[in-house]
PDB file of all heavy atoms in Angstrom:
ATOM      1  N   TRP A  13      -1.074 -15.559 -16.408  1.00  0.00           N
ATOM      2  CA  TRP A  13      -0.726 -14.242 -16.956  1.00  0.00           C
ATOM      3  C   TRP A  13      -0.704 -13.222 -15.837  1.00  0.00           C
ATOM      4  O   TRP A  13      -1.630 -13.139 -15.035  1.00  0.00           O
ATOM      5  CB  TRP A  13      -1.742 -13.833 -18.011  1.00  0.00           C
ATOM      6  CG  TRP A  13      -1.663 -14.666 -19.246  1.00  0.00           C
ATOM      7  CD1 TRP A  13      -2.419 -15.758 -19.549  1.00  0.00           C
ATOM      8  CD2 TRP A  13      -0.765 -14.489 -20.328  1.00  0.00           C
ATOM      9  NE1 TRP A  13      -2.046 -16.270 -20.760  1.00  0.00           N
ATOM     10  CE2 TRP A  13      -1.025 -15.509 -21.272  1.00  0.00           C
ATOM     11  CE3 TRP A  13       0.248 -13.578 -20.610  1.00  0.00           C
ATOM     12  CZ2 TRP A  13      -0.329 -15.630 -22.457  1.00  0.00           C
ATOM     13  CZ3 TRP A  13       0.940 -13.705 -21.800  1.00  0.00           C
ATOM     14  CH2 TRP A  13       0.651 -14.718 -22.708  1.00  0.00           C
ATOM     15  N   VAL A  14       0.356 -12.417 -15.782  1.00  0.00           N
ATOM     16  CA  VAL A  14       0.489 -11.362 -14.782  1.00  0.00           C
ATOM     17  C   VAL A  14       0.936 -10.085 -15.496  1.00  0.00           C
ATOM     18  O   VAL A  14       1.544 -10.138 -16.564  1.00  0.00           O
ATOM     19  CB  VAL A  14       1.507 -11.735 -13.679  1.00  0.00           C
ATOM     20  CG1 VAL A  14       1.028 -12.928 -12.877  1.00  0.00           C
ATOM     21  CG2 VAL A  14       2.870 -11.999 -14.268  1.00  0.00           C
ATOM     22  N   PRO A  15       0.639  -8.927 -14.914  1.00  0.00           N
ATOM     23  CA  PRO A  15       1.107  -7.680 -15.530  1.00  0.00           C
ATOM     24  C   PRO A  15       2.625  -7.635 -15.594  1.00  0.00           C
ATOM     25  O   PRO A  15       3.310  -7.968 -14.627  1.00  0.00           O
ATOM     26  CB  PRO A  15       0.568  -6.587 -14.598  1.00  0.00           C
ATOM     27  CG  PRO A  15      -0.594  -7.218 -13.917  1.00  0.00           C
ATOM     28  CD  PRO A  15      -0.240  -8.667 -13.773  1.00  0.00           C
ATOM     29  N   GLY A  16       3.136  -7.224 -16.738  1.00  0.00           N
ATOM     30  CA  GLY A  16       4.579  -7.083 -16.925  1.00  0.00           C
ATOM     31  C   GLY A  16       5.084  -5.772 -16.354  1.00  0.00           C
ATOM     32  O   GLY A  16       4.366  -5.033 -15.683  1.00  0.00           O
ATOM     33  N   ARG A  17       6.333  -5.460 -16.652  1.00  0.00           N
ATOM     34  CA  ARG A  17       6.986  -4.283 -16.086  1.00  0.00           C
ATOM     35  C   ARG A  17       6.274  -2.980 -16.458  1.00  0.00           C
ATOM     36  O   ARG A  17       6.022  -2.135 -15.608  1.00  0.00           O
ATOM     37  CB  ARG A  17       8.428  -4.254 -16.548  1.00  0.00           C
ATOM     38  CG  ARG A  17       9.290  -3.245 -15.854  1.00  0.00           C
ATOM     39  CD  ARG A  17      10.676  -3.320 -16.402  1.00  0.00           C
ATOM     40  NE  ARG A  17      10.558  -3.359 -17.861  1.00  0.00           N
ATOM     41  CZ  ARG A  17      11.353  -2.743 -18.704  1.00  0.00           C
ATOM     42  NH1 ARG A  17      12.373  -2.086 -18.257  1.00  0.00           N
ATOM     43  NH2 ARG A  17      11.175  -2.808 -19.996  1.00  0.00           N
ATOM     44  N   GLU A  18       5.942  -2.785 -17.753  1.00  0.00           N
ATOM     45  CA  GLU A  18       5.325  -1.527 -18.180  1.00  0.00           C
ATOM     46  C   GLU A  18       3.935  -1.354 -17.577  1.00  0.00           C
ATOM     47  O   GLU A  18       3.592  -0.290 -17.061  1.00  0.00           O
ATOM     48  CB  GLU A  18       5.210  -1.455 -19.712  1.00  0.00           C
ATOM     49  CG  GLU A  18       6.522  -1.587 -20.435  1.00  0.00           C
ATOM     50  CD  GLU A  18       6.822  -3.024 -20.824  1.00  0.00           C
ATOM     51  OE1 GLU A  18       6.039  -3.931 -20.471  1.00  0.00           O
ATOM     52  OE2 GLU A  18       7.848  -3.244 -21.477  1.00  0.00           O
ATOM     53  N   LEU A  19       3.122  -2.398 -17.657  1.00  0.00           N
ATOM     54  CA  LEU A  19       1.762  -2.325 -17.134  1.00  0.00           C
ATOM     55  C   LEU A  19       1.769  -2.214 -15.610  1.00  0.00           C
ATOM     56  O   LEU A  19       0.972  -1.476 -15.036  1.00  0.00           O
ATOM     57  CB  LEU A  19       0.956  -3.540 -17.586  1.00  0.00           C
ATOM     58  CG  LEU A  19      -0.528  -3.545 -17.247  1.00  0.00           C
ATOM     59  CD1 LEU A  19      -1.215  -2.294 -17.774  1.00  0.00           C
ATOM     60  CD2 LEU A  19      -1.198  -4.791 -17.808  1.00  0.00           C
ATOM     61  N   SER A  20       2.683  -2.895 -14.948  1.00  0.00           N
ATOM     62  CA  SER A  20       2.791  -2.796 -13.491  1.00  0.00           C
ATOM     63  C   SER A  20       3.138  -1.384 -13.054  1.00  0.00           C
ATOM     64  O   SER A  20       2.621  -0.896 -12.043  1.00  0.00           O
ATOM     65  CB  SER A  20       3.846  -3.766 -12.960  1.00  0.00           C
ATOM     66  OG  SER A  20       3.407  -5.091 -13.099  1.00  0.00           O
ATOM     67  N   ALA A  21       4.004  -0.707 -13.807  1.00  0.00           N
ATOM     68  CA  ALA A  21       4.369   0.671 -13.471  1.00  0.00           C
ATOM     69  C   ALA A  21       3.162   1.594 -13.598  1.00  0.00           C
ATOM     70  O   ALA A  21       2.951   2.475 -12.756  1.00  0.00           O
ATOM     71  CB  ALA A  21       5.503   1.154 -14.368  1.00  0.00           C
ATOM     72  N   ILE A  22       2.355   1.402 -14.643  1.00  0.00           N
ATOM     73  CA  ILE A  22       1.150   2.214 -14.829  1.00  0.00           C
ATOM     74  C   ILE A  22       0.160   1.959 -13.700  1.00  0.00           C
ATOM     75  O   ILE A  22      -0.385   2.895 -13.108  1.00  0.00           O
ATOM     76  CB  ILE A  22       0.516   1.921 -16.208  1.00  0.00           C
ATOM     77  CG1 ILE A  22       1.446   2.403 -17.323  1.00  0.00           C
ATOM     78  CG2 ILE A  22      -0.860   2.561 -16.326  1.00  0.00           C
ATOM     79  CD1 ILE A  22       1.053   1.921 -18.702  1.00  0.00           C
ATOM     80  N   LEU A  23      -0.084   0.693 -13.383  1.00  0.00           N
ATOM     81  CA  LEU A  23      -1.024   0.357 -12.311  1.00  0.00           C
ATOM     82  C   LEU A  23      -0.534   0.871 -10.963  1.00  0.00           C
ATOM     83  O   LEU A  23      -1.326   1.376 -10.157  1.00  0.00           O
ATOM     84  CB  LEU A  23      -1.253  -1.156 -12.262  1.00  0.00           C
ATOM     85  CG  LEU A  23      -1.946  -1.767 -13.482  1.00  0.00           C
ATOM     86  CD1 LEU A  23      -1.996  -3.282 -13.354  1.00  0.00           C
ATOM     87  CD2 LEU A  23      -3.329  -1.192 -13.671  1.00  0.00           C
ATOM     88  N   ALA A  24       0.758   0.767 -10.693  1.00  0.00           N
ATOM     89  CA  ALA A  24       1.305   1.260  -9.422  1.00  0.00           C
ATOM     90  C   ALA A  24       1.156   2.774  -9.315  1.00  0.00           C
ATOM     91  O   ALA A  24       0.846   3.294  -8.236  1.00  0.00           O
ATOM     92  CB  ALA A  24       2.772   0.859  -9.294  1.00  0.00           C
ATOM     93  N   ALA A  25       1.360   3.488 -10.414  1.00  0.00           N
ATOM     94  CA  ALA A  25       1.199   4.946 -10.398  1.00  0.00           C
ATOM     95  C   ALA A  25      -0.249   5.323 -10.116  1.00  0.00           C
ATOM     96  O   ALA A  25      -0.526   6.233  -9.326  1.00  0.00           O
ATOM     97  CB  ALA A  25       1.657   5.534 -11.727  1.00  0.00           C
ATOM     98  N   LEU A  26      -1.183   4.625 -10.743  1.00  0.00           N
ATOM     99  CA  LEU A  26      -2.603   4.903 -10.517  1.00  0.00           C
ATOM    100  C   LEU A  26      -3.010   4.533  -9.090  1.00  0.00           C
ATOM    101  O   LEU A  26      -3.811   5.233  -8.469  1.00  0.00           O
ATOM    102  CB  LEU A  26      -3.462   4.163 -11.536  1.00  0.00           C
ATOM    103  CG  LEU A  26      -3.334   4.670 -12.974  1.00  0.00           C
ATOM    104  CD1 LEU A  26      -4.062   3.737 -13.938  1.00  0.00           C
ATOM    105  CD2 LEU A  26      -3.845   6.089 -13.100  1.00  0.00           C
ATOM    106  N   GLU A  27      -2.456   3.442  -8.549  1.00  0.00           N
ATOM    107  CA  GLU A  27      -2.751   3.060  -7.166  1.00  0.00           C
ATOM    108  C   GLU A  27      -2.212   4.091  -6.180  1.00  0.00           C
ATOM    109  O   GLU A  27      -2.842   4.370  -5.154  1.00  0.00           O
ATOM    110  CB  GLU A  27      -2.168   1.680  -6.857  1.00  0.00           C
ATOM    111  CG  GLU A  27      -2.948   0.556  -7.493  1.00  0.00           C
ATOM    112  CD  GLU A  27      -2.263  -0.797  -7.380  1.00  0.00           C
ATOM    113  OE1 GLU A  27      -1.111  -0.859  -6.881  1.00  0.00           O
ATOM    114  OE2 GLU A  27      -2.877  -1.782  -7.799  1.00  0.00           O
ATOM    115  N   GLU A  28      -1.068   4.676  -6.492  1.00  0.00           N
ATOM    116  CA  GLU A  28      -0.507   5.705  -5.622  1.00  0.00           C
ATOM    117  C   GLU A  28      -1.417   6.933  -5.592  1.00  0.00           C
ATOM    118  O   GLU A  28      -1.683   7.494  -4.525  1.00  0.00           O
ATOM    119  CB  GLU A  28       0.888   6.098  -6.107  1.00  0.00           C
ATOM    120  CG  GLU A  28       1.563   7.108  -5.227  1.00  0.00           C
ATOM    121  CD  GLU A  28       2.963   7.456  -5.696  1.00  0.00           C
ATOM    122  OE1 GLU A  28       3.537   6.711  -6.509  1.00  0.00           O
ATOM    123  OE2 GLU A  28       3.474   8.488  -5.241  1.00  0.00           O
ATOM    124  N   ILE A  29      -1.912   7.339  -6.749  1.00  0.00           N
ATOM    125  CA  ILE A  29      -2.835   8.474  -6.808  1.00  0.00           C
ATOM    126  C   ILE A  29      -4.151   8.112  -6.119  1.00  0.00           C
ATOM    127  O   ILE A  29      -4.712   8.909  -5.364  1.00  0.00           O
ATOM    128  CB  ILE A  29      -3.071   8.895  -8.272  1.00  0.00           C
ATOM    129  CG1 ILE A  29      -1.778   9.434  -8.868  1.00  0.00           C
ATOM    130  CG2 ILE A  29      -4.184   9.927  -8.370  1.00  0.00           C
ATOM    131  CD1 ILE A  29      -1.809   9.606 -10.369  1.00  0.00           C
ATOM    132  N   HIS A  30      -4.644   6.906  -6.357  1.00  0.00           N
ATOM    133  CA  HIS A  30      -5.899   6.445  -5.754  1.00  0.00           C
ATOM    134  C   HIS A  30      -5.827   6.462  -4.229  1.00  0.00           C
ATOM    135  O   HIS A  30      -6.763   6.867  -3.547  1.00  0.00           O
ATOM    136  CB  HIS A  30      -6.214   5.035  -6.260  1.00  0.00           C
ATOM    137  CG  HIS A  30      -7.478   4.454  -5.728  1.00  0.00           C
ATOM    138  ND1 HIS A  30      -7.508   3.697  -4.586  1.00  0.00           N
ATOM    139  CD2 HIS A  30      -8.750   4.517  -6.192  1.00  0.00           C
ATOM    140  CE1 HIS A  30      -8.753   3.318  -4.358  1.00  0.00           C
ATOM    141  NE2 HIS A  30      -9.523   3.805  -5.314  1.00  0.00           N
ATOM    142  N   GLY A  31      -4.717   6.047  -3.686  1.00  0.00           N
ATOM    143  CA  GLY A  31      -4.575   5.962  -2.243  1.00  0.00           C
ATOM    144  C   GLY A  31      -4.125   7.250  -1.569  1.00  0.00           C
ATOM    145  O   GLY A  31      -4.108   7.336  -0.339  1.00  0.00           O
ATOM    146  N   ALA A  32      -3.790   8.267  -2.356  1.00  0.00           N
ATOM    147  CA  ALA A  32      -3.260   9.502  -1.774  1.00  0.00           C
ATOM    148  C   ALA A  32      -4.272  10.227  -0.894  1.00  0.00           C
ATOM    149  O   ALA A  32      -3.886  10.931   0.033  1.00  0.00           O
ATOM    150  CB  ALA A  32      -2.778  10.435  -2.883  1.00  0.00           C
ATOM    151  N   TYR A  33      -5.542  10.084  -1.173  1.00  0.00           N
ATOM    152  CA  TYR A  33      -6.571  10.800  -0.425  1.00  0.00           C
ATOM    153  C   TYR A  33      -7.334   9.891   0.529  1.00  0.00           C
ATOM    154  O   TYR A  33      -8.324  10.298   1.107  1.00  0.00           O
ATOM    155  CB  TYR A  33      -7.545  11.488  -1.388  1.00  0.00           C
ATOM    156  CG  TYR A  33      -6.834  12.463  -2.283  1.00  0.00           C
ATOM    157  CD1 TYR A  33      -6.444  12.100  -3.559  1.00  0.00           C
ATOM    158  CD2 TYR A  33      -6.521  13.728  -1.811  1.00  0.00           C
ATOM    159  CE1 TYR A  33      -5.764  12.997  -4.366  1.00  0.00           C
ATOM    160  CE2 TYR A  33      -5.850  14.626  -2.610  1.00  0.00           C
ATOM    161  CZ  TYR A  33      -5.471  14.259  -3.884  1.00  0.00           C
ATOM    162  OH  TYR A  33      -4.796  15.136  -4.676  1.00  0.00           O
ATOM    163  N   ASN A  34      -6.884   8.678   0.684  1.00  0.00           N
ATOM    164  CA  ASN A  34      -7.563   7.717   1.532  1.00  0.00           C
ATOM    165  C   ASN A  34      -6.822   7.587   2.865  1.00  0.00           C
ATOM    166  O   ASN A  34      -5.652   7.933   2.969  1.00  0.00           O
ATOM    167  CB  ASN A  34      -7.634   6.355   0.839  1.00  0.00           C
ATOM    168  CG  ASN A  34      -8.771   5.506   1.340  1.00  0.00           C
ATOM    169  OD1 ASN A  34      -9.460   5.872   2.274  1.00  0.00           O
ATOM    170  ND2 ASN A  34      -8.959   4.367   0.725  1.00  0.00           N
ATOM    171  N   PHE A  35      -7.497   7.102   3.848  1.00  0.00           N
ATOM    172  CA  PHE A  35      -6.864   6.742   5.103  1.00  0.00           C
ATOM    173  C   PHE A  35      -7.496   5.441   5.575  1.00  0.00           C
ATOM    174  O   PHE A  35      -8.584   5.072   5.155  1.00  0.00           O
ATOM    175  CB  PHE A  35      -7.027   7.840   6.166  1.00  0.00           C
ATOM    176  CG  PHE A  35      -8.448   8.060   6.602  1.00  0.00           C
ATOM    177  CD1 PHE A  35      -9.016   7.312   7.610  1.00  0.00           C
ATOM    178  CD2 PHE A  35      -9.221   9.023   5.991  1.00  0.00           C
ATOM    179  CE1 PHE A  35     -10.327   7.516   8.005  1.00  0.00           C
ATOM    180  CE2 PHE A  35     -10.534   9.248   6.374  1.00  0.00           C
ATOM    181  CZ  PHE A  35     -11.084   8.481   7.385  1.00  0.00           C
ATOM    182  N   ASP A  36      -6.802   4.733   6.416  1.00  0.00           N
ATOM    183  CA  ASP A  36      -7.316   3.471   6.927  1.00  0.00           C
ATOM    184  C   ASP A  36      -7.098   3.438   8.433  1.00  0.00           C
ATOM    185  O   ASP A  36      -6.011   3.155   8.912  1.00  0.00           O
ATOM    186  CB  ASP A  36      -6.621   2.289   6.262  1.00  0.00           C
ATOM    187  CG  ASP A  36      -7.270   0.961   6.592  1.00  0.00           C
ATOM    188  OD1 ASP A  36      -8.222   0.947   7.400  1.00  0.00           O
ATOM    189  OD2 ASP A  36      -6.833  -0.062   6.036  1.00  0.00           O
ATOM    190  N   GLY A  37      -8.159   3.740   9.156  1.00  0.00           N
ATOM    191  CA  GLY A  37      -8.110   3.687  10.610  1.00  0.00           C
ATOM    192  C   GLY A  37      -8.771   2.423  11.129  1.00  0.00           C
ATOM    193  O   GLY A  37      -9.244   2.396  12.264  1.00  0.00           O
ATOM    194  N   SER A  38      -8.814   1.389  10.297  1.00  0.00           N
ATOM    195  CA  SER A  38      -9.480   0.141  10.669  1.00  0.00           C
ATOM    196  C   SER A  38      -8.669  -0.638  11.696  1.00  0.00           C
ATOM    197  O   SER A  38      -7.453  -0.521  11.769  1.00  0.00           O
ATOM    198  CB  SER A  38      -9.684  -0.727   9.433  1.00  0.00           C
ATOM    199  OG  SER A  38     -10.447  -0.047   8.470  1.00  0.00           O
ATOM    200  N   ASP A  39      -9.367  -1.452  12.458  1.00  0.00           N
ATOM    201  CA  ASP A  39      -8.731  -2.331  13.430  1.00  0.00           C
ATOM    202  C   ASP A  39      -9.393  -3.699  13.311  1.00  0.00           C
ATOM    203  O   ASP A  39     -10.511  -3.903  13.782  1.00  0.00           O
ATOM    204  CB  ASP A  39      -8.887  -1.771  14.839  1.00  0.00           C
ATOM    205  CG  ASP A  39      -8.136  -2.588  15.883  1.00  0.00           C
ATOM    206  OD1 ASP A  39      -7.493  -3.596  15.504  1.00  0.00           O
ATOM    207  OD2 ASP A  39      -8.176  -2.197  17.057  1.00  0.00           O
ATOM    208  N   SER A  40      -8.713  -4.622  12.657  1.00  0.00           N
ATOM    209  CA  SER A  40      -9.307  -5.943  12.423  1.00  0.00           C
ATOM    210  C   SER A  40      -9.425  -6.765  13.713  1.00  0.00           C
ATOM    211  O   SER A  40     -10.212  -7.705  13.774  1.00  0.00           O
ATOM    212  CB  SER A  40      -8.491  -6.715  11.389  1.00  0.00           C
ATOM    213  OG  SER A  40      -7.170  -6.890  11.851  1.00  0.00           O
ATOM    214  N   MET A  41      -8.692  -6.404  14.745  1.00  0.00           N
ATOM    215  CA  MET A  41      -8.762  -7.139  16.008  1.00  0.00           C
ATOM    216  C   MET A  41     -10.116  -6.962  16.697  1.00  0.00           C
ATOM    217  O   MET A  41     -10.563  -7.835  17.424  1.00  0.00           O
ATOM    218  CB  MET A  41      -7.641  -6.689  16.949  1.00  0.00           C
ATOM    219  CG  MET A  41      -6.251  -7.031  16.434  1.00  0.00           C
ATOM    220  SD  MET A  41      -5.967  -8.794  16.281  1.00  0.00           S
ATOM    221  CE  MET A  41      -5.892  -9.244  17.981  1.00  0.00           C
ATOM    222  N   VAL A  42     -10.753  -5.816  16.465  1.00  0.00           N
ATOM    223  CA  VAL A  42     -12.050  -5.557  17.102  1.00  0.00           C
ATOM    224  C   VAL A  42     -13.154  -5.394  16.045  1.00  0.00           C
ATOM    225  O   VAL A  42     -14.219  -4.891  16.349  1.00  0.00           O
ATOM    226  CB  VAL A  42     -11.991  -4.309  18.017  1.00  0.00           C
ATOM    227  CG1 VAL A  42     -11.093  -4.579  19.200  1.00  0.00           C
ATOM    228  CG2 VAL A  42     -11.553  -3.083  17.254  1.00  0.00           C
ATOM    229  N   ASP A  43     -12.882  -5.806  14.813  1.00  0.00           N
ATOM    230  CA  ASP A  43     -13.863  -5.758  13.728  1.00  0.00           C
ATOM    231  C   ASP A  43     -14.386  -4.340  13.514  1.00  0.00           C
ATOM    232  O   ASP A  43     -15.586  -4.098  13.436  1.00  0.00           O
ATOM    233  CB  ASP A  43     -15.015  -6.732  14.014  1.00  0.00           C
ATOM    234  CG  ASP A  43     -15.832  -7.016  12.763  1.00  0.00           C
ATOM    235  OD1 ASP A  43     -15.286  -6.844  11.657  1.00  0.00           O
ATOM    236  OD2 ASP A  43     -16.996  -7.400  12.888  1.00  0.00           O
ATOM    237  N   TYR A  44     -13.454  -3.388  13.422  1.00  0.00           N
ATOM    238  CA  TYR A  44     -13.796  -1.981  13.226  1.00  0.00           C
ATOM    239  C   TYR A  44     -13.232  -1.532  11.886  1.00  0.00           C
ATOM    240  O   TYR A  44     -12.031  -1.621  11.650  1.00  0.00           O
ATOM    241  CB  TYR A  44     -13.216  -1.140  14.363  1.00  0.00           C
ATOM    242  CG  TYR A  44     -13.408   0.352  14.189  1.00  0.00           C
ATOM    243  CD1 TYR A  44     -14.667   0.917  14.303  1.00  0.00           C
ATOM    244  CD2 TYR A  44     -12.330   1.179  13.919  1.00  0.00           C
ATOM    245  CE1 TYR A  44     -14.848   2.282  14.157  1.00  0.00           C
ATOM    246  CE2 TYR A  44     -12.494   2.538  13.779  1.00  0.00           C
ATOM    247  CZ  TYR A  44     -13.760   3.086  13.885  1.00  0.00           C
ATOM    248  OH  TYR A  44     -13.931   4.437  13.733  1.00  0.00           O
ATOM    249  N   SER A  45     -14.106  -1.076  11.004  1.00  0.00           N
ATOM    250  CA  SER A  45     -13.691  -0.610   9.686  1.00  0.00           C
ATOM    251  C   SER A  45     -13.902   0.886   9.591  1.00  0.00           C
ATOM    252  O   SER A  45     -15.014   1.382   9.783  1.00  0.00           O
ATOM    253  CB  SER A  45     -14.497  -1.332   8.603  1.00  0.00           C
ATOM    254  OG  SER A  45     -14.124  -0.861   7.333  1.00  0.00           O
ATOM    255  N   HIS A  46     -12.831   1.618   9.306  1.00  0.00           N
ATOM    256  CA  HIS A  46     -12.914   3.072   9.202  1.00  0.00           C
ATOM    257  C   HIS A  46     -11.967   3.530   8.092  1.00  0.00           C
ATOM    258  O   HIS A  46     -10.765   3.664   8.297  1.00  0.00           O
ATOM    259  CB  HIS A  46     -12.540   3.709  10.536  1.00  0.00           C
ATOM    260  CG  HIS A  46     -12.655   5.205  10.527  1.00  0.00           C
ATOM    261  ND1 HIS A  46     -13.854   5.851  10.475  1.00  0.00           N
ATOM    262  CD2 HIS A  46     -11.709   6.163  10.556  1.00  0.00           C
ATOM    263  CE1 HIS A  46     -13.652   7.151  10.466  1.00  0.00           C
ATOM    264  NE2 HIS A  46     -12.348   7.366  10.521  1.00  0.00           N
TER     265      HIS A  46
END
């Protein structure tokens, strides 16, 4: 079971809002999480 078109659109909209105030300055090559 996977999210269909309607549910995927809702989840994508919420993910866009969730990520709007985040930043990712991480560097996995040197094991640095920021």
Side-chain angles (χ1 to χ4, degrees):
W13 291 96
V14 295
R17 191 180 46 141
E18 302 93 356
L19 186 55
S20 291
I22 293 168
L23 295 175
L26 291 171
E27 286 171 355
E28 183 178 344
I29 294 168
H30 181 269
Y33 301 97
N34 204 354
F35 66 86
D36 189 356
S38 302
D39 185 0
S40 60
M41 295 297 289
V42 293
D43 196 23
Y44 175 70
S45 179
H46 182 70

